[in-house]
């Protein structure tokens, strides 16, 4: 699935474990941002930076909001979201679909914003 962030960034969301693999390994470029809920399965989310150095804060919040929504933590008011560059996301040899490891990144503490989520799901 493809969404548009408030500042115009393309935000891609995997639908299944195979989609997550394709998105994270084949479509996520080195400096693109990869997001996922911490300590929970769920969709991989990628912000395509298209040559920009970093994402706008609003686009990052939009992507984190989608990562929470497309996870088993959907409906939670707060969650931790892992954020890493594409080059820090690795697929271990022989691992099951959707499983990746991170060699860097950070964790964002997100408070879900229902109005933000509604805007994203409606297509801005």
């Amino acid at each position: 699935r493809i969404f548009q962030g408030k500042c115009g960034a393309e935000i891609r969301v995997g639908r299944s474990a195979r989609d997550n693999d394709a998105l994270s390994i084949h479509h996520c470029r080195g400096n693109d941002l990869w997001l996922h809920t911490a300590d929970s399965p769920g969709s991989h989310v990628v912000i395509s930076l298209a040559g920009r150095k970093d994402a706008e804060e609003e686009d990052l919040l939009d992507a984190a909001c989608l990562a929470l929504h497309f996870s088993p933590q959907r409906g939670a008011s707060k969650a931790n979201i892992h954020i890493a560059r594409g080059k820090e996301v690795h697929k271990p040899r022989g691992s099951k679909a959707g499983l990746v490891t991170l060699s860097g990144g950070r964790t964002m503490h997100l408070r879900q914003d229902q109005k933000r989520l509604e805007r994203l799901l409606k297509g801005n």
Side-chain angles (χ1 to χ4, degrees):
R1 298 179 71 174
I2 299 175
F3 297 87
Q4 184 174 358
K6 187 172 186 174
C7 296
E10 180 179 275
I11 302 171
R12 296 179 180 191
V13 179
R15 288 181 167 227
S16 66
R18 286 181 191 229
D19 285 349
N20 286 341
D21 272 358
L23 179 61
S24 298
I25 305 306
H26 301 294
H27 298 286
C28 185
R29 303 288 176 238
N31 283 323
D32 288 349
L33 292 177
W34 177 94
L35 296 90
H36 190 276
T37 51
D39 305 321
S40 172
S43 292
H44 295 192
V45 177
V46 171
I47 302 174
S48 178
L49 294 181
R52 289 175 290 145
K53 192 168 189 158
D54 215 346
E56 298 287 337
E57 187 67 23
E58 289 296 320
D59 289 338
L60 186 60
L61 288 170
D62 285 349
C65 181
L66 290 168
L68 176 56
H69 178 71
F70 290 105
S71 80
Q73 295 182 48
R74 173 187 277 186
S77 61
K78 294 187 278 186
N80 291 325
I81 308 293
H82 289 305
I83 303 169
R85 295 282 177 181
K87 60 188 169 192
E88 299 170 324
V89 179
H90 310 284
K91 177 85 177 154
R93 174 171 273 154
S95 64
K96 66 181 183 175
L99 181 70
V100 296
T101 59
L102 303 179
S103 62
R106 63 186 173 101
T107 300
M108 167 194 275
H109 305 288
L110 176 72
R111 182 179 299 273
Q112 185 63 290
D113 180 340
Q114 196 60 35
K115 288 182 182 180
R116 180 182 300 274
L117 179 62
E118 289 171 8
R119 175 181 50 81
L120 288 162
L121 296 177
K122 285 180 184 175
N124 294 9

